[in-house]
Amino acid sequence: MATTTVVQTNLGGGLRQWSTGLFDCFNDMSVCLCVYFCGVCMLCQNANQLGENGCCMAFCIPWPYNQIMLRIKIRSQNNIQGNICDDYCTVCCCGSCALCQEAREIKYIMMNSGGQPQMTVVTTQPTMQPVAVQPGAQPMAYA
C-alpha cells in the first residue's frame, strides 16, 4: 500500500509579508461588503478555497478558533511571517479586518499560482522493519 505525502514547497526563499495590510479592507470592496453583511459566508468560502469543509468550519467550530485555524493554515502554507499568538490577537481584536485580509490573500495566491497551490506530491512505499527474536522465545499472541 503506497503512502502519498503532500509537501508544500517554498519557491520564493524566506518568509514574506501578507500581500495586503490588515486595514486595507477597502482595496477589495466585494470582500469588504461580504464580510460586513455576512462574515460567516466569507469564512465558509475561505475554508472551502483552502480545501476545508466550509460548513463545518463555520458552524461546528466556535469563533474565533475557526478563523484562527484558517489564518494559521494560510500563513504556514504560504510562508507568511507571523506566529500563533499574533494570529490569535489579530482575529480577536480585528476579526472582520483579518477575515478580509485572509480572503484577499487567498485571491492573491490563486491569481499568482494560476489557480493551483504550489505543492509537490511524493509517493512512497512502506518498508518492512526487521524484528530481533531471541532463540527459544515464544511468539506473542495478539488479542
Side-chain angles (χ1 to χ4, degrees):
M1 182 168 121
T3 304
T4 302
T5 307
V6 178
V7 180
Q8 183 71 32
T9 57
N10 181 357
L11 300 177
L15 297 177
R16 66 175 182 85
Q17 297 292 323
W18 291 85
S19 63
T20 60
L22 182 62
F23 302 111
D24 291 340
C25 299
F26 298 115
N27 286 0
D28 188 332
M29 285 304 294
S30 63
V31 168
C32 182
L33 291 172
C34 183
V35 169
Y36 181 77
F37 287 108
C38 189
V40 71
C41 294
M42 183 57 69
L43 182 70
C44 186
Q45 180 179 330
N46 286 354
N48 285 333
Q49 290 177 326
L50 293 171
E52 301 295 335
N53 183 326
C55 290
C56 181
M57 288 297 289
F59 299 109
C60 297
I61 301 172
W63 188 88
Y65 306 110
N66 52 7
Q67 188 177 347
I68 293 167
M69 289 169 30
L70 290 176
R71 189 171 181 86
I72 291 168
K73 184 171 184 173
I74 293 168
R75 198 175 42 71
S76 63
Q77 286 186 347
N78 296 285
N79 304 308
I80 299 173
Q81 290 179 347
N83 58 55
I84 294 171
C85 186
D86 289 345
D87 294 332
Y88 181 84
C89 292
T90 300
V91 169
C92 289
C93 295
C94 306
S96 295
C97 293
L99 191 53
C100 287
Q101 184 184 42
E102 294 153 17
R104 290 190 311 270
E105 192 66 34
I106 292 169
K107 281 185 175 183
Y108 171 81
I109 292 162
M110 297 303 269
M111 183 177 64
N112 289 322
S113 65
Q116 299 296 319
Q118 302 295 325
M119 295 185 185
T120 303
V121 177
V122 178
T123 302
T124 59
Q125 295 292 329
T127 58
M128 299 291 289
Q129 298 295 325
V131 177
V133 179
Q134 294 182 3
Q138 295 292 324
M140 295 182 65
Y142 294 100

